[in-house]
Amino acid sequence: MGLVTMGALMGGNVRVGLEDSIYLGKGELAKSNAAQVAKIRRILEDLSLDIATPADARRMLDLKGAANVAF
């Protein structure tokens, strides 16, 4: 979480999830991806940084969106 927070402070986008790290904090295993997302969201909001909506993320990544795919 520390490196992700620092990246956000430097103007970067963040990504969390169990595929990237299994920890929620120092020595504390994350129970789920949702727990990691909730924690980083809380940290970033406390720092007054903007949080992308799912639509914002799709736009930034140039994704089609669920309504425009055949599955």
Side-chain angles (χ1 to χ4, degrees), residues 5-54:
T5 302
M6 187 58 67
L9 287 170
M10 295 174 70
N13 297 313
V14 303
R15 171 192 161 117
V16 295
L18 295 174
E19 54 279 334
D20 298 316
S21 172
I22 60 172
Y23 294 100
L24 192 58
K26 188 173 183 176
E28 180 184 0
L29 290 175
K31 291 183 176 25
S32 66
N33 285 340
Q36 290 181 329
V37 170
K39 181 169 182 174
I40 196 62
R41 181 180 182 106
R42 188 173 55 251
I43 292 168
L44 298 180
E45 285 176 341
D46 286 348
L47 293 169
S48 299
L49 296 175
D50 293 330
I51 306 294
T53 66

